[in-house]
Amino acid sequence: MLARNRFLLLVVVGGAALAIISLSLQFLNLLPTTPLLEERLFQAADGGVGGAVGKSRKRVFPVPPTQEPNPIAEAYSYCNTPNRTEQAWEGHSPADYKLLSVQVMIRHGDRYPLYYIPKTKRPAIDCTLSTSRKPSHPLLNAFIRHMGQGARGHWESPLGSVPRLPNHSACEMGELTQTGVVQHLRNGQLLHKAYRRHNFPPADWSPRQVWLETTGKSRTLQSGLAFLYGLLPDFDWTKLTVRHQWSTLFCGSACDCPARNRYLEEEQRRQYRLRVSDTELERTYADMARTLGLLTRQLRAANPIDSLLCHLCHGISFPCVPTGDGATGCLTMAQFAVIRRQQLDDEVDRRRVGLYHKYAILAMYPYLNRTASKMERVAKDNEAGRPRRAGGEEVFSLSSAHDVTVAPLLSALGLEEARFPRFAARLVFELWKSPPAAQRQQKKKKAGKGEKANAKDGAVFIRVLYNGEDVTYHTLFCHSHVTRTNQPLCPLKNFLSFVQRDMFRVVSATSYHEACYKRPG
């Protein structure tokens, strides 16, 4: 008994230490600092940088530490450098449950900065792909060859003219790096390993069953292709159509929403007021501008955190410039930490005020509605005795997006404490079906009479995972479900009710149309 108690103590202490070490990187600047709407947000996307069921419910949001989070340590976790083994809980379910569909939203991988700090040298990064340069991946050469056959695929305009691989020896602004490609080859391969025991996607998948959509930026297109190749190595190009989403919100034909734009403008004003009231931040920007020989407003306009994050992620020294006395002046890690600290403070205030969550609800309803509709169709297609649709339903969907897509999606789901969308972040929706009653009864007899049935015959359930961690019971639609039932997964009906009605309560409405066009006040 004494030995067992010591073991449990070690497990608890070790778990607490790991939670502190792996502190989540909170949301950075998700919104521009001047009043812009979505069409301009597209141009600035990412520029703010701004089997065991018990284990599937593991704590994924660390207990708040007693000390302030370390801005530098959290910035490194944002980089998501692909140099460590990663655990993925995708594909885990009770025994004999069937995986029906998977829908994935990703943020593109590591990219070159979108902004240039005046009077400084740009980071020297090669954006061509080579297995002789780190980080690399066993699938990299095969991926490069396969992209050369992309003309056999089907491409919605204007994606056919977008390069399928990053190809500049001196990276262009916003270009995907080799690190970004490797991040998504790893993501796709993780899901390939997680789902292959479920024969998913089916080996004979039809053109209707696999869906890939992306914005028109090369970094999202290339990230989506790398992810898909990791999941489906040497996939058949002739069966693939790559679809274009013109908005970073993936809102299709339902993008018009005046109330969403109002919440966005109010959130930007809140962000601006908090920033200008931060005297330490103001002094830091002034010091940085003085070092570089710039006006403070010029430095602000250059959004220096974007470029400095690139230096940090790639192990490049922060920029230096010659000074008048023959010496050099350099931007410092301490200055970087001040900017990052203010961004973390902004996240606390953002959650307290709640404007961003209201914006997120209306911004991501169209995507969530499409997700729910796809799941509902797949569930109906798998009902017992129902004839299958020719060619099948969309069982796998991949949406390759930006931080300004993934961040509001997390907020809309109620995952506001989740880790900020790091490079190559992934959010996964899984649809599961319980086994037939006869199969469960047979197992029940083997296990003993005392066992209770946990699900109806052929019931369907949803799991939500963020960066490989099960966050289902942290979502708004399922956070209370675990305390009221002994079912091992969250019923799909909870998610459908949330999307169709419940999510609009926070904006005092019962539908998307009412929420969007209701007069203020």
Side-chain angles (χ1 to χ4, degrees):
M1 179 64 71
L2 182 58
R4 180 173 179 272
N5 288 340
R6 285 176 177 170
F7 172 75
L8 290 174
L9 179 62
L10 286 172
V11 170
V12 172
V13 173
L18 284 174
I20 293 173
I21 290 170
S22 61
L23 291 175
S24 61
L25 181 63
Q26 303 297 316
F27 295 134
L28 307 173
N29 274 340
L30 303 184
L31 299 170
T33 55
T34 54
L36 305 174
L37 298 183
E38 272 70 37
E39 60 269 24
R40 291 182 65 190
L41 272 172
F42 178 87
Q43 299 173 359
D46 306 311
V49 182
V53 179
K55 288 188 176 180
S56 73
R57 293 180 183 175
K58 61 189 289 191
R59 182 183 293 276
V60 297
F61 303 118
V63 176
T66 55
Q67 62 192 46
E68 291 295 319
N70 184 329
I72 305 302
E74 295 193 1
Y76 276 115
S77 68
Y78 165 85
C79 297
N80 190 21
T81 305
N83 57 2
R84 59 185 174 84
T85 302
E86 186 174 345
Q87 177 66 60
W89 289 101
E90 287 94 345
H92 288 252
S93 74
D96 301 319
Y97 275 54
K98 181 182 179 182
L99 181 60
L100 300 183
S101 79
V102 174
Q103 299 187 58
V104 184
M105 169 74 80
I106 60 173
R107 184 193 175 188
H108 61 74
D110 178 82
R111 58 154 173 79
Y112 199 71
L114 292 170
Y115 298 86
Y116 163 65
I117 302 177
K119 297 189 177 181
T120 66
K121 290 184 178 179
R122 298 186 183 187
I125 299 174
D126 188 342
C127 273
T128 59
L129 302 182
S130 170
T131 55
S132 63
R133 190 170 62 250
K134 292 183 179 181
S136 189
H137 192 279
L139 291 177
L140 184 59
N141 261 341
F143 170 68
I144 295 170
R145 289 194 300 270
H146 198 66
M147 291 304 101
Q149 303 169 20
R152 297 163 54 199
H154 308 280
W155 305 83
E156 284 190 357
S157 179
L159 299 178
S161 60
V162 178
R164 294 183 286 275
L165 295 172
N167 56 11
H168 295 93
S169 57
C171 293
E172 295 191 342
M173 306 303 277
E175 187 171 8
L176 193 70
T177 65
Q178 176 160 313
T179 299
V181 171
V182 170
Q183 286 167 335
H184 276 305
L185 286 174
R186 281 168 57 100
N187 270 345
Q189 191 175 55
L190 281 171
L191 266 61
H192 173 80
K193 292 176 179 177
Y195 294 144
R196 64 185 173 190
R197 64 179 176 272
H198 301 286
N199 188 31
F200 186 92
D204 58 347
W205 57 275
S206 70
R208 184 192 296 273
Q209 289 179 306
V210 173
W211 176 284
L212 172 60
E213 61 182 356
T214 174
T215 64
K217 298 296 184 181
S218 62
R219 58 185 177 274
T220 51
L221 173 64
Q222 294 159 5
S223 293
L225 291 172
F227 187 108
L228 187 65
Y229 190 82
L231 176 72
L232 294 171
D234 296 323
F235 60 81
D236 185 347
W237 276 110
T238 63
K239 295 196 291 186
L240 182 69
T241 297
V242 186
R243 294 169 171 86
H244 177 239
Q245 279 285 347
W246 69 271
S247 168
T248 57
L249 297 180
F250 284 62
C251 47
S253 60
C255 290
D256 185 43
C257 184
R260 180 196 67 224
N261 299 339
R262 287 197 300 272
Y263 286 128
L264 175 60
E265 291 171 349
E266 290 177 35
E267 166 61 14
Q268 290 167 340
R269 286 193 288 270
R270 178 209 62 80
Q271 186 183 52
Y272 174 77
R273 287 193 298 269
L274 185 70
R275 193 178 68 248
V276 298
S277 68
D278 192 318
T279 55
E280 184 186 26
L281 180 68
E282 293 299 305
R283 285 197 306 269
T284 299
Y285 272 125
D287 289 344
M288 294 169 68
R290 193 178 305 112
T291 297
L292 300 177
L294 299 171
L295 297 176
T296 303
R297 66 173 181 270
Q298 288 179 294
L299 182 67
R300 284 188 179 283
N303 193 20
I305 191 68
D306 185 46
S307 181
L308 294 179
L309 274 167
C310 179
H311 284 77
L312 184 84
C313 293
H314 288 265
I316 302 172
S317 299
F318 283 171
C320 297
V321 295
T323 60
D325 56 3
T328 57
C330 302
L331 301 185
T332 68
M333 189 68 77
Q335 293 166 337
F336 173 83
V338 169
I339 302 175
R340 288 286 299 114
R341 186 271 308 157
Q342 193 278 332
Q343 291 175 325
L344 298 177
D345 291 347
D346 179 76
E347 278 312 309
V348 174
D349 193 62
R350 176 178 287 131
R351 288 192 292 270
R352 179 187 64 81
V353 175
L355 288 169
Y356 185 79
H357 179 60
K358 293 178 180 180
Y359 160 77
I361 287 288
L362 300 183
M364 296 317 298
Y365 166 77
Y367 173 81
L368 286 171
N369 187 50
R370 282 197 299 133
T371 300
S373 297
K374 288 179 182 181
M375 286 186 166
E376 199 168 21
R377 288 198 302 269
V378 170
K380 288 180 179 178
D381 199 46
N382 280 271
E383 289 177 354
R386 187 184 184 96
R388 294 287 184 89
R389 180 178 178 179
E393 295 290 348
E394 295 162 18
V395 296
F396 179 77
S397 298
L398 175 60
S399 303
S400 187
H402 305 263
D403 60 356
V404 293
T405 321
V406 181
L409 180 56
L410 291 169
S411 179
L413 292 170
L415 302 173
E416 301 212 60
E417 299 291 338
R419 295 174 178 88
F420 173 79
R422 66 191 187 187
F423 284 132
R426 67 181 188 273
L427 186 66
V428 177
F429 299 84
E430 295 178 344
L431 183 65
W432 294 87
K433 183 178 180 181
S434 62
Q439 186 175 336
R440 287 202 314 278
Q441 285 295 330
Q442 188 177 8
K443 289 206 166 217
K444 182 179 172 183
K445 288 178 182 178
K446 289 181 181 179
K449 294 183 179 179
E451 182 182 325
K452 279 188 175 182
N454 284 331
K456 296 179 181 179
D457 186 16
V460 285
F461 302 89
I462 184 175
R463 289 180 79 217
V464 183
L465 302 103
Y466 184 51
N467 294 333
E469 301 284 8
D470 190 332
V471 296
T472 310
Y473 293 100
H474 294 275
T475 62
L476 290 172
F477 61 86
C478 226
H479 68 276
S480 61
H481 177 75
V482 67
T483 62
R484 294 188 294 189
T485 179
N486 61 355
Q487 290 180 346
L489 296 177
C490 181
L492 176 63
K493 65 181 181 181
N494 287 32
F495 180 57
L496 299 180
S497 296
F498 173 72
V499 174
Q500 293 163 4
R501 180 185 61 254
D502 298 344
M503 67 187 295
F504 301 111
R505 288 175 182 168
V506 71
V507 290
S508 303
T510 58
S511 70
Y512 181 60
H513 185 273
E514 179 188 355
C516 286
Y517 294 97
K518 185 172 61 174
R519 290 186 177 181

